[in-house]
Amino acid sequence: MLRTTSMGRGIMAVLAAGERHARGLPGGSVAEIAADLGKDRSQVSRSLRTAEQEGFLRRTPQRTFALDWGVLTDAHLLTRRRLHSDGAAALEHLSGQTDEACFLGVISGNSTVTVGESIPASSRMVGSWLGRPYPAYCSDAGQALLWETPDDEVRKIFAGVTFQQHGPNTPANVEEFLARLEKARQRGYSIVDEEAEPGLYSLAVPVRDFRGDVVAALQVVGLKSRIEPRQAEHATALRNEGQWLEAMLGGRSPHNHS
């Protein structure tokens, strides 16, 4: 049988400390974490001390081991940088495959904001959307960015928001938005069909970071007459590119990206 490596034991110890934090506990003693793991106390003690020396754990005044949040802060900063650098590569590759305008968006309150774009000349899209907010209830990225947000939380986000009509199919209220979001989840990608403006059609997928949280949305946007006939083809390219970007952010294994 294969023996667990020292690195593997160290990771297990860190994860065990994180699990205690998730349960609302301030940390764990060597004995508590060893009991959680069902492992020998001396072995766990060595793993915890090593994790502390490497900066993954810190010793509390109560002599317990807890997560060192500096590591998480550094990981967040790295994720933001990679979202922009690797996001740019994903956008360029996706727009080359689809020959359509492709965007990367993030959530800001009840709006979405474009943080990356790749617009081929053939897409017939004029101007840049970088830095421009748009109402999340009808934007190309809105459904994907709220992909895993509980319905009650979505209702709170849009509380007091007037659902103004921007296109012929703009949702009339939050319940209509939630119904479309549920269909998108079942489909695996969102379709925003003339919700943002007449004639505009888009597909989008959520992009998750190393924690599994949705941090961005990858989108293919253009004229309905161009995108709808190639919807299945574009959706495949979009999902593959979204998975590659997630892998670059520390998530699932990457697909080939040539």
Side-chain angles (χ1 to χ4, degrees):
M1 294 179 63
L2 294 175
R3 293 180 298 174
T4 303
T5 65
S6 58
M7 180 180 291
R9 290 192 294 270
I11 292 173
M12 289 172 63
V14 172
L15 292 176
E19 177 63 27
R20 293 184 68 82
H21 172 79
R23 300 204 306 265
L25 301 172
S29 66
V30 173
E32 289 169 335
I33 293 177
D36 289 345
L37 292 172
K39 300 292 184 181
D40 177 72
R41 179 172 173 170
S42 62
Q43 185 182 80
V44 171
S45 178
R46 290 194 296 271
S47 297
L48 289 170
R49 286 199 303 270
T50 300
E52 180 188 12
Q53 292 169 358
E54 295 297 328
F56 292 101
L57 296 176
R58 59 180 176 83
R59 194 77 68 94
T60 71
Q62 293 76 34
R63 307 298 294 171
T64 61
F65 289 89
L67 292 178
D68 188 325
W69 296 111
V71 173
L72 189 58
T73 299
D74 291 343
H76 281 307
L77 293 174
L78 178 61
T79 295
R80 290 180 61 182
R81 288 196 294 268
R82 300 213 67 161
L83 183 61
H84 285 80
S85 60
D86 291 318
L91 288 168
E92 184 177 355
H93 197 243
L94 184 60
S95 65
Q97 288 183 289
T98 62
D99 200 29
E100 297 291 350
C102 298
F103 299 91
L104 192 67
V106 298
I107 195 79
S108 178
N110 54 35
S111 299
T112 64
V113 180
T114 299
V115 296
E117 63 183 24
S118 180
I119 306 176
S122 60
S123 73
R124 300 181 187 177
M125 189 166 289
V126 179
S128 172
W129 274 94
L130 285 176
R132 293 169 60 181
Y134 207 81
Y137 63 81
C138 65
S139 80
D140 304 308
Q143 293 178 38
L145 287 168
L146 295 171
W147 197 265
E148 292 175 356
T149 306
D151 287 1
D152 285 345
E153 185 62 29
V154 173
R155 293 185 180 97
K156 290 178 182 178
I157 290 172
F158 292 128
V161 173
T162 300
F163 279 54
Q164 296 180 347
Q165 188 170 22
H166 292 265
N169 297 326
T170 301
N173 51 53
V174 68
E175 298 306 321
E176 190 171 342
F177 174 86
L178 287 170
R180 296 181 188 185
L181 176 56
E182 181 55 32
K183 289 182 179 179
R185 290 165 175 157
Q186 295 173 5
R187 187 189 305 115
Y189 60 93
S190 66
I191 298 174
V192 176
D193 179 7
E194 296 190 287
E195 296 178 26
E197 62 180 78
L200 197 66
Y201 196 89
S202 68
L203 313 176
V205 294
V207 175
R208 299 169 181 83
D209 66 1
F210 63 96
R211 303 162 302 171
D213 293 342
V214 175
V215 292
L218 192 61
Q219 312 140 59
V220 177
V221 184
L223 295 176
K224 181 175 182 177
S225 58
R226 286 169 57 101
I227 294 184
E228 189 174 35
R230 300 178 62 192
Q231 178 178 311
E233 176 186 346
H234 288 346
T236 297
L238 182 63
R239 285 184 291 202
N240 288 342
E241 211 61 38
Q243 289 172 6
W244 178 84
L245 182 53
E246 285 187 343
M248 296 301 100
L249 300 180
R252 66 185 76 186
S253 300
H255 286 241
N256 291 331
H257 195 255
S258 56

